[in-house]
Amino acid sequence: MIRIEGLHKSYPIGKDSLHVLKGLDLHIKEGEFVSIMGSSGSGKSTLLNIVGLLDEHDVGNYYLNGQLIEKLNEKKAAVLRNKFLGFVFQSFNLISYKTAVENVALPLYYKGVGRKERLKTALEYLEKVELGPWAEHLPNELSGGQKQRVAIARALVTVPKVILADEPTGALDSTTTDSVMDLLKGINDEGMTVFVITHEEEVAEQTDRIVRLKDGVIISDELTESGKAKAKQYV
């Protein structure tokens, strides 16, 4: 689903440059539940931005669903994002003056789906994350956990192949964190690939595979207990 070979990324800083990713090799198969861990400055957010087609790499190859990603203009990148990727952010990124159901429906608007159909579909996804009764509430009327559920429903509404979650529990308490992770586990159990960026060990342990980054290189790539249990099922 996601294949990265010899990936490098640098950013100019004045006359110098900051080498953020230093030759990464990473393969995430369809249906995996993977977390990318690392401290601030390790390169994990840069990796997410490249995988999410929000930034370009300098050197190396990136394949998404078998397609080599290179020299995309913003229009082509947007088409691929809409087709394959759903995003969940730490800050929720909800539009404050739109209701929960309108926020969830927004990606369908950009796909050209008619208002009646997109609101109907959005409501179905709100119900999927157990927020049907809050459909007409504005974001400021929702708790942090509810906002993140709205954001997850919005990410799912276009039926992407991959969910990219950037610190999805960073703004939540431990109880709400567990409920959001349970929701992501459920999505993964249905066959969707889930890619989580986190610096929280307890969050990473709830995924099936932990890839650890340090100073732009992968220092370990291991299955968790749940990942080992799943692997045994397929032996």
Side-chain angles (χ1 to χ4, degrees), residues 2-9 21-29 32 34 36 47 51 57 59-63 195 209-213 216-222:
I2 293 169
R3 184 180 291 276
I4 286 168
E5 301 168 342
L7 202 76
H8 287 263
K9 178 66 180 179
L21 298 179
K22 304 168 184 173
L24 293 195
D25 293 305
L26 180 65
H27 181 206
I28 297 173
K29 297 192 285 288
E32 281 201 270
V34 179
I36 308 292
L47 175 61
V51 170
H57 56 283
V59 178
N61 295 321
Y62 168 32
Y63 297 88
F195 182 101
R209 178 181 165 200
I210 304 175
V211 177
R212 297 181 192 273
L213 282 183
V217 297
I218 292 173
I219 57 170
S220 68
D221 183 347
E222 298 174 334

Side-chain angles (χ1 to χ4, degrees), residues 182-208:
D182 284 344
L183 187 52
L184 291 175
K185 283 181 208 167
I187 293 162
N188 174 249
D189 287 343
E190 292 174 7
M192 198 172 288
T193 307
V194 181
F195 182 101
V196 177
I197 297 286
T198 184
H199 66 277
E200 298 175 82
E201 196 74 43
E202 59 270 30
V203 168
E205 286 293 340
Q206 294 184 63
T207 68
D208 295 335

Side-chain angles (χ1 to χ4, degrees), residues 4-207:
I4 286 168
E5 301 168 342
L7 202 76
H8 287 263
K9 178 66 180 179
S10 297
Y11 293 102
I13 299 179
K15 293 180 181 178
D16 299 318
S17 68
L18 179 64
H19 198 177
V20 181
L21 298 179
K22 304 168 184 173
L24 293 195
D25 293 305
L26 180 65
H27 181 206
I28 297 173
K29 297 192 285 288
E30 187 167 358
E32 281 201 270
F33 189 10
V34 179
S35 54
I36 308 292
M37 278 205 78
S39 58
S40 180
S42 62
K44 61 187 189 299
S45 292
T46 299
L47 175 61
L48 179 100
N49 287 340
I50 291 170
V51 170
L53 308 178
L54 300 169
D55 199 356
E56 295 181 336
H57 56 283
D58 299 328
V59 178
N61 295 321
Y62 168 32
Y63 297 88
L64 176 61
N65 201 45
Q67 178 177 343
L68 179 63
I69 304 298
E70 58 180 353
K71 296 182 175 64
L72 295 180
N73 60 34
E74 178 49 37
K75 189 173 182 181
K76 286 182 180 175
V79 168
L80 286 175
R81 277 197 299 270
N82 284 340
K83 185 175 182 182
F84 291 113
L85 306 172
F87 293 87
V88 179
F89 300 99
Q90 176 179 349
S91 55
F92 319 127
N93 287 15
L94 301 180
I95 295 174
S96 61
Y97 57 85
K98 289 189 177 291
T99 62
V101 72
E102 288 170 336
N103 267 284
V104 175
L106 205 55
L108 298 175
Y109 168 80
Y110 292 117
K111 279 198 158 190
V113 178
R115 178 176 170 80
K116 188 174 181 181
E117 185 182 344
R118 67 176 182 260
L119 289 175
K120 178 176 177 286
T121 304
L123 183 58
E124 288 171 3
Y125 276 87
L126 272 180
E127 288 168 349
K128 188 180 176 78
V129 299
E130 300 178 355
L131 278 183
W134 284 269
E136 299 303 325
H137 287 242
L138 293 170
N140 66 6
E141 298 171 320
L142 302 174
S143 69
Q146 288 172 325
K147 288 177 189 174
Q148 196 58 292
R149 284 171 177 266
V150 172
I152 291 170
R154 181 184 58 192
L156 292 174
V157 75
T158 57
V159 196
K161 287 188 173 288
V162 182
I163 291 291
L164 299 175
D166 189 4
E167 300 281 4
T169 61
L172 306 176
D173 61 43
S174 58
T175 303
T176 314
T177 289
D178 288 343
S179 70
V180 166
M181 290 306 295
D182 284 344
L183 187 52
L184 291 175
K185 283 181 208 167
I187 293 162
N188 174 249
D189 287 343
E190 292 174 7
M192 198 172 288
T193 307
V194 181
F195 182 101
V196 177
I197 297 286
T198 184
H199 66 277
E200 298 175 82
E201 196 74 43
E202 59 270 30
V203 168
E205 286 293 340
Q206 294 184 63
T207 68

